[in-house]
Amino acid sequence: MTDYIEQMKKFYTQSDFCAISGQKQTDGTIYFKDPTYYGRKSETFLASSVDKVFADAKNYLEPSSLYVHVPFCNLRCSYCDFFRNRYDAQLVERYVDALRRELFYFQSKGIFENRPIKAIFFGGGTPTVLKPEQIYNLLREIKNAAELEDNCEITIESSILDMSDEKFIACIEGGATRFSFGVQTFKDDLRKALGRTHTKEDIIAKLKHMATGKAKIIIDLIYGLPNQSKEDVLKDIDTALEANVSGFDLYKLQIFPKSPLGEAIKKGSIAHKENTAFLLDTFLAASEHLAEKNIEAISCCHWRSRKDEISLYNTLVKCGTDLVSLGSSCGGRLGPYGYMKTLKQDSYIDNVLAGKFASMGFVKENENYKLLKGINGQIDQGFLDFSASFYKDFPASDTFAPLLEKWLGFGLVKIDGNIYRLTNTGRFYYRTLTRVLLSAADFYFYGKGSFLDKMKGKMFNKMENLK
């Protein structure tokens, strides 16, 4: 215990701890020095170690999800940093064949044995650039190759532009239970600036039409867009609810430097400067507006208007459970092993068709990965509950006490029995709060990180380190 106390004293007395844990500003915002996080003590394996990794992964069976990546789009959104390829029928045909081959490769390696799939997510890109028969056949073949749990959540991501009635029917007949549409905003001038062509009236009509069935309809909304007001965001929320959606995500705009929007802002052709006080005020207004309408938040950025909407795939992935992934340029997890797939489509297709696993390699995370992923999952849902099993051998209450005491004073968390719950302000900063907590836990186990650790965090955890 003495060693533990001395170890954590070093963490809480380091010169920049005050900035890392937050400093209240005069405008009501909280400044955090970027606590870039990268889990240390990991072990890397070459892609050629696939048989060894897959064999060991069978010792770490977890509730699992399946991700299908379709990196093609008919148009590029101005804010997007993940655009890879415009739709090309011949290339897509070869890519879909590779997806099928990879699915059966996993099956042949026994990856689906004793690993029932609880949730499936088709993401991209835009999965619905595929033909109706391609979507249907993929869904059916997944059911034949993998063991799906009863009531498996199957989500298809799409743009409004690409979802035809024929594709919607093919998805439903293939077993899809949930659809996620990147609406981002209903305001026509803002949509046009994002590269979106459908009008507000078109979107509402299509959403209402699809919401008449049993499938859940989810949409993404963004706040913080150039020239978007707080009132615009509140109107978007009202419009979404009027369109009978089952739930929606409200995301803060992330400006990626290499996206068309990022480039335009850099060149000065679009005037935009992030204003944290305005963004916080907008998020708080949106959260209060939804609470008044009795719309329930089930994570820091997801709300539901019907009780059977549980966003299962996102919850499982944030908690670090197993994720089997099909496709190029996407990651997955099997127990403590994480992997990233080959980025280029041609290389991915050639490798898969040759019977190889198209991965750039594997990373085996440290022995505390379940604890660290558990913390991440809890904060994503807006709470900390130290009675969870993964805290068993970790003195969370004592380790995090200085942080939680400070955050209570800042109004970022509140105590609810034995649980710390994030306030709406805390949910605005949830990504940063997560990194601070993970950094504290990491310090408890391994001491102060090096400059190289920080650089690795910036290189490998692009999505984890978003604000």
Side-chain angles (χ1 to χ4, degrees):
M1 180 59 75
T2 301
D3 290 343
Y4 153 70
I5 293 173
E6 292 303 314
Q7 178 84 318
M8 294 317 296
K9 275 184 179 178
K10 292 177 183 178
F11 179 77
Y12 287 118
T13 57
Q14 57 185 307
S15 60
D16 59 355
F17 169 71
C18 185
I20 290 174
S21 59
Q23 294 172 303
K24 197 73 174 276
Q25 307 296 294
T26 56
D27 62 1
T29 62
I30 299 170
Y31 165 77
F32 293 89
K33 181 179 178 180
D34 182 22
T36 299
Y37 172 74
Y38 175 71
R40 287 181 286 160
K41 305 297 181 182
S42 58
E43 186 178 0
T44 59
F45 296 87
L46 297 175
S48 57
S49 303
V50 58
D51 288 334
K52 174 185 175 182
V53 169
F54 280 5
D56 192 34
K58 293 178 182 179
N59 296 315
Y60 301 91
L61 297 176
E62 297 279 355
S64 302
S65 302
L66 177 68
Y67 177 69
V68 183
H69 189 61
V70 182
F72 302 94
C73 295
N74 280 315
L75 56 84
R76 181 174 187 179
C77 302
S78 65
Y79 59 85
C80 182
D81 193 40
F82 304 101
F83 179 83
R84 292 292 178 268
N85 304 279
R86 291 196 181 278
Y87 177 79
D88 176 276
Q90 187 174 359
L91 178 58
V92 169
E93 188 71 40
R94 292 185 65 236
Y95 185 83
V96 170
D97 188 34
L99 289 176
R100 295 174 56 254
R101 298 284 191 93
E102 188 174 27
L103 173 67
F104 294 113
Y105 173 87
F106 277 120
Q107 183 187 36
S108 71
K109 295 293 183 179
I111 293 302
F112 295 124
E113 293 176 11
N114 301 312
R115 188 180 272 112
I117 303 298
K118 297 172 72 70
I120 299 170
F121 194 95
F122 278 65
T126 310
T128 48
V129 299
L130 303 186
K131 298 174 183 177
E133 59 271 22
Q134 290 173 326
I135 298 171
Y136 175 82
N137 289 336
L138 272 174
L139 286 167
R140 301 310 300 176
E141 288 175 354
I142 287 171
K143 289 186 175 183
N144 291 332
E147 178 188 346
L148 307 190
E149 284 203 351
D150 293 340
N151 301 317
C152 177
E153 178 190 271
I154 303 177
T155 303
I156 309 292
E157 190 176 54
S158 180
S159 69
I160 293 291
L161 171 70
D162 293 289
M163 182 58 80
S164 65
D165 286 346
E166 292 77 15
K167 291 179 181 180
F168 187 71
I169 292 170
C171 292
I172 295 293
E173 292 182 346
T177 62
R178 189 172 179 269
F179 295 84
S180 177
F181 294 96
V183 172
Q184 319 311 359
T185 177
F186 288 95
K187 194 174 182 186
D188 286 340
D189 60 332
L190 296 179
R191 288 184 56 77
K192 186 176 180 180
L194 295 177
R196 299 301 179 94
T197 57
H198 277 57
T199 66
K200 173 181 177 179
E201 288 72 22
D202 291 337
I203 300 167
I204 294 172
K206 201 154 192 175
L207 290 174
K208 284 185 174 180
H209 170 64
M210 290 184 289
T212 57
K214 292 183 179 180
K216 287 169 278 190
I217 307 299
I218 313 300
I219 66 170
D220 291 345
L221 295 176
I222 291 180
Y223 68 100
L225 295 168
N227 302 313
Q228 182 186 42
S229 68
K230 176 172 67 177
E231 289 70 29
D232 290 334
V233 176
L234 299 183
K235 287 179 182 177
D236 280 343
I237 290 171
D238 288 340
T239 302
L241 297 176
E242 290 166 8
N244 300 324
V245 299
S246 304
F248 61 87
D249 291 288
L250 180 61
Y251 294 120
K252 178 170 60 176
L253 174 68
Q254 300 288 335
I255 301 175
F256 297 102
K258 294 184 180 180
S259 67
L261 177 60
E263 293 283 0
I265 291 172
K266 182 180 178 180
K267 292 177 182 177
S269 55
I270 292 180
H272 184 71
K273 185 176 182 180
E274 185 172 287
N275 182 326
T276 303
F278 170 75
L279 293 172
L280 175 59
D281 181 54
T282 301
F283 182 81
L284 294 179
S287 299
E288 292 164 6
H289 189 64
L290 286 158
E292 290 170 359
K293 294 178 175 292
N294 295 315
I295 305 300
E296 181 183 6
I298 59 174
S299 79
C300 287
C301 57
H302 188 75
W303 283 259
R304 66 179 180 187
S305 56
R306 54 188 264 187
K307 289 295 183 181
D308 61 345
E309 161 54 15
I310 57 175
S311 192
L312 182 59
Y313 173 85
N314 289 323
T315 299
L316 291 171
V317 170
K318 293 294 175 62
C319 291
T321 53
D322 283 5
L323 175 63
V324 182
S325 63
L326 305 178
S328 65
S329 58
C330 61
R333 163 183 293 278
L334 297 170
Y337 295 97
Y339 59 85
M340 184 67 192
K341 308 290 276 301
T342 304
L343 299 179
K344 294 183 178 180
Q345 278 67 54
D346 286 340
S347 176
Y348 164 77
I349 292 169
D350 290 344
N351 273 280
V352 172
L353 296 185
K356 300 177 182 178
F357 185 53
S359 168
M360 296 190 293
F362 300 90
V363 174
K364 186 177 183 180
E365 296 190 30
N366 64 54
E367 69 275 17
N368 302 297
Y369 79 96
K370 284 190 176 182
L371 166 69
L372 299 172
K373 293 299 183 182
I375 293 171
N376 184 80
Q378 284 194 345
I379 289 292
D380 181 73
Q381 294 173 70
F383 69 89
L384 282 172
D385 180 2
F386 299 142
S387 68
S389 60
F390 52 79
Y391 289 109
K392 181 181 177 182
D393 299 316
F394 175 66
S397 295
D398 292 333
T399 301
F400 295 148
L403 290 170
L404 295 172
E405 182 178 354
K406 188 173 186 179
W407 293 347
L408 280 165
F410 284 167
L412 296 172
V413 297
K414 59 185 178 181
I415 297 176
D416 180 10
N418 295 319
I419 298 175
Y420 288 90
R421 295 197 183 279
L422 271 62
T423 63
N424 287 338
T425 303
R427 293 194 304 123
F428 174 78
Y429 290 105
Y430 83 101
R431 290 184 185 275
T432 303
L433 300 187
T434 301
R435 293 198 291 274
V436 174
L437 291 168
L438 292 177
S439 297
D442 188 77
F443 195 100
Y444 167 79
F445 291 114
Y446 307 116
K448 186 176 181 179
S450 66
F451 177 77
L452 181 60
D453 289 323
K454 186 173 182 178
M455 291 302 99
K456 284 182 178 179
K458 288 187 175 181
M459 288 174 60
F460 295 112
N461 282 6
K462 180 177 180 180
M463 290 305 295
E464 294 293 337
N465 290 307
L466 294 177
K467 294 182 179 178

